[in-house]
């Protein structure tokens, strides 16, 4: 069965960096586009970034453009999110999700919490 | 990238039908049929329940249905059950290689 497991979250200070990972299993990772979505505590969902499967086309939300970098390693069945210059407003649970069809997120991980605080 | 507009809460009694609206703009909902709905129970990850406006993933109850008219999409839950109590989010592709979610609707089963 499809499984996505995020890791790498934690408590960091403003202005610092963090790298999130998402380990995929149960399907052919290289065949699917992937995405990161976040959810601030008690708030709604916010789409963060997207990476395609064959040509690594990448998109970002304006709120993270220039600070976050999405990448993937198909050999390791893994998705990553490098987050630099973190701000308090980046505090959220970060989910990775598989994309099926037209921007449909059909499988989600359990999420990893990132807290940015001094 | 303004969020799509959803009512903060909707409630209904068991067995009733409820509808959650999701309003967008001429740049997103009205142009593209890439509208999805997600169900999220407390402390859990979201779950895809409707995609491409009105399609249901395998395993999702047929009590959930989606539609769209103009710049407003709708999710209808028929035969409301206690297990349907959750937060529901709509999403839409925006045409500028980004995606936007609605603010979320809390469904309460009375």
């Amino acid at each position: 069965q499809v499984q996505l497991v995020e890791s790498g979250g934690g408590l960091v200070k403003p202005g610092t960096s963090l790298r999130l990972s998402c380990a995929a299993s149960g399907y052919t990772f290289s065949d699917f586009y992937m995405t990161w979505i976040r959810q601030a505590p008690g708030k709604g969902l916010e789409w963060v970034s997207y990476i395609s499967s064959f040509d690594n086309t990448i998109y970002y939300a304006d709120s993270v453009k220039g600070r976050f970098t999405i990448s993937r390693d198909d050999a390791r069945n893994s998705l990553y999110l490098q987050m630099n210059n973190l701000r308090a407003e980046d505090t959220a649970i970060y989910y990775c999700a598989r994309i099926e069809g037209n921007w449909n997120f059909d499988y989600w991980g359990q999420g990893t919490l990132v807290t940015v605080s001094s | 990238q303004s969020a799509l507009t959803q009512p903060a809460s909707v409630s209904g009694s068991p067995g009733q039908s409820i509808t959650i609206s999701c309003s967008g703009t001429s740049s997103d909902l009205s142009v593209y049929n890439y509208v999805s709905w997600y169900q999220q129970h407390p402390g859990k990850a979201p779950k895809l329940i409707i995609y491409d406006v009105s399609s249901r993933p395998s395993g999702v109850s047929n009590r959930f249905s989606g539609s769209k008219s103009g710049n407003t999409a709708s999710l209808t839950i028929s035969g409301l059950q206690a297990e349907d109590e959750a937060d529901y989010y709509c999403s839409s592709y925006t045409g500028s290689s980004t995606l936007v979610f609605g603010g979320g609707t809390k469904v309460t089963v009375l």
Side-chain angles (χ1 to χ4, degrees), chain B residues 14-85:
Chain B
Q16 285 187 328
S17 292
I18 62 170
T19 296
I20 302 168
S21 62
C22 171
S23 297
T25 70
S26 58
S27 300
D28 40 60
L29 270 180
S30 66
V31 179
Y32 302 98
N33 288 325
Y34 303 158
V35 179
S36 299
W37 289 89
Y38 299 88
Q39 176 192 61
Q40 186 180 34
H41 287 107
K44 300 294 186 181
K47 172 188 176 184
L48 178 68
I49 57 172
I50 294 290
Y51 67 95
D52 293 351
V53 176
S54 59
S55 296
R56 265 189 317 276
S58 173
V60 172
S61 172
N62 59 8
R63 297 186 299 102
F64 295 95
S65 62
S67 63
K68 191 187 82 165
S69 178
N71 67 349
T72 299
S74 299
L75 172 71
T76 297
I77 309 175
S78 57
L80 198 62
Q81 298 179 1
E83 67 207 50
D84 300 331
E85 190 160 289

Side-chain angles (χ1 to χ4, degrees), chain A residues 39 59 95 102-105 109, chain B residues 36 38 40 45 51 89 93 97:
Chain A
Q39 186 170 33
Y59 304 125
Y95 296 99
N102 304 310
W103 291 81
N104 307 309
F105 309 150
Chain B
S36 299
Y38 299 88
Q40 186 180 34
Y51 67 95
Y89 295 91
Y93 176 64
S97 302

Side-chain angles (χ1 to χ4, degrees), chain A residues 60-69 82-85 87:
Chain A
Y60 297 101
D62 287 345
S63 58
V64 306
K65 200 175 294 183
R67 299 187 300 122
F68 288 13
T69 302
Q82 177 67 44
M83 305 184 295
N84 297 332
N85 190 20
R87 306 166 179 166

